[in-house]
Amino acid sequence: MDCIFCQIIAGKLPSEILYQDEEVFAFRDISPQAPTHLVIIPKKHIPSLIDLTGEELPLIGHMVDVAYKLAQKEGIAESGYRLAINCGPWGGQLVPHLHMHLIGGRQLSGRLG
Ligand code: AMP
Ligand code: ZN
């Protein structure tokens, strides 16, 4: 198991765990790009968005819901935040385990890439 996010889920790599349930796990990004920068991942190792099956699609809705609850906890739900899923090399995906970034706590640039 050489996936760093799978190792974080298994507790083999340290992380600041913010939420977990049967399907989803969330922790603070090690290299934050804003005052709040969290990472929300499925517990199942799905490499990328393009590997998501139709059956697994509801997972994304669940991750969006978890992100909303975490944004509330972080006190940034009202001011606003950004959810981003990078997909593939040109999409800026570095870790090959599907993940959603939750970024907020400052005015974000309108530029996306
Ligand atoms: P991406 O570029 O979309 O693949 O994003 C990967 C994210 O994972 C980056 O924002 C990294 O800072 C973050 N990251 C990598 N390793 C760790 C780690 N051990 N703990 C927390 N976040 C991490
Ligand atoms: Zn993994």
Side-chain angles (χ1 to χ4, degrees), residues 17-95:
I17 303 169
L18 299 172
Y19 175 85
Q20 64 173 317
D21 59 31
E22 280 185 5
E23 292 180 320
V24 167
F25 192 93
F27 51 96
R28 208 169 289 282
D29 197 291
I30 204 168
S31 176
Q33 293 176 29
T36 292
H37 187 169
L38 315 184
V39 183
I40 300 149
I41 63 177
K43 282 190 168 170
K44 181 177 180 186
H45 180 84
I46 300 168
S48 188
L49 262 189
I50 58 166
D51 302 299
L52 201 63
T53 66
E55 272 183 4
E56 290 164 339
L57 214 45
L59 199 51
I60 299 296
H62 185 40
M63 288 162 71
V64 169
D65 186 47
V66 168
Y68 170 59
K69 286 174 178 138
L70 288 172
Q72 282 182 309
K73 267 194 187 167
E74 293 279 314
I76 61 166
E78 295 301 320
S79 56
Y81 56 92
R82 179 170 295 161
L83 299 181
I85 300 177
N86 298 331
C87 178
W90 280 24
Q93 183 179 5
L94 295 175
V95 177

Side-chain angles (χ1 to χ4, degrees), residues 3 6 45 97:
C3 169
C6 281
H45 180 84
H97 180 129

